[in-house]
Amino acid sequence: MKKLIAKRFVAAGLLGMAIIAAGVSAQAQTLQYRLTANIPFDFTVADKKLPAGKYWINRALGNSGDSVLQISSTDGHVSVTRLSIPVVTFAPKTESSLIFHRFGDEYFLSQIWPAGGSTGRGLLKTHAERDLERKAQGNTIGAMKAPKADVVTVVATLQ
């Protein structure tokens, strides 16, 4: 009888530790913790042009989940709040990163990926980005179409 109770107690303890470990891992895969990135070029978020510099990316409301994000300069001069949608990959990201689409010298923030996660956050395309994309698709060089947007990745740190 005592052995049965001891085995159940050990099993319950192991289950509890597994649940706690899964919870900590899941938090690292979300934007509960702020990302910091030094972005070396001007870029657009939500039809707002932001200057090059150091930025924080995190949840707009602490307990609201990752749907509403805030992108703000570390000096406090600019801030944008933006709705996001989940984007998924089969290979978890090894480092936090920001994905930009580049058309010429115009950069648009497209995705945000926390380290260790297979789910990132995607931002909907702005009017300006869609217009540039249409122009790129409409331009032809001989029989070839013009290239699509370049993808630029900026590494971020989790804080």
Side-chain angles (χ1 to χ4, degrees):
M1 181 75 172
K2 287 184 181 179
K3 283 186 178 182
L4 181 61
I5 293 173
K7 284 183 181 179
R8 287 185 180 171
F9 183 73
V10 169
L14 289 173
L15 180 62
M17 286 190 292
I19 291 171
I20 290 170
V24 170
S25 175
Q27 287 178 348
Q29 297 173 15
T30 68
L31 291 170
Q32 178 175 352
Y33 303 106
R34 178 171 59 195
L35 295 179
T36 302
N38 190 13
I39 302 171
F41 43 77
D42 295 350
F43 64 103
T44 301
V45 176
D47 288 325
K48 184 174 182 180
K49 188 88 161 186
L50 303 175
K54 195 170 184 180
Y55 285 85
W56 289 323
I57 298 94
N58 58 322
R59 293 176 176 176
L61 302 169
N63 296 329
S64 69
D66 293 345
S67 294
V68 182
L69 301 179
Q70 184 170 14
I71 298 103
S72 53
S73 63
T74 58
D75 63 10
H77 286 100
V78 290
S79 181
V80 176
T81 302
R82 184 79 168 149
L83 286 174
S84 70
I85 57 173
V87 288
V88 180
T89 183
F90 290 114
K93 299 295 183 177
T94 56
E95 57 190 1
S96 300
S97 60
L98 306 178
I99 308 296
F100 294 86
H101 290 163
R102 181 176 69 88
F103 294 91
D105 62 351
E106 296 286 325
Y107 292 82
F108 299 88
L109 182 58
S110 175
Q111 296 177 358
I112 297 141
W113 291 91
S118 57
T119 302
R121 303 306 301 180
L123 303 177
L124 297 177
K125 293 180 180 178
T126 65
H127 294 293
E129 183 176 5
R130 285 195 302 268
D131 289 345
L132 287 171
E133 192 172 50
R134 273 189 230 109
K135 286 178 186 175
Q137 289 173 352
N139 290 339
T140 56
I141 303 169
M144 299 183 334
K145 281 194 170 186
K148 293 183 179 180
D150 293 324
V151 175
V152 178
T153 302
V154 173
V155 175
T157 57
L158 188 65
Q159 292 185 335

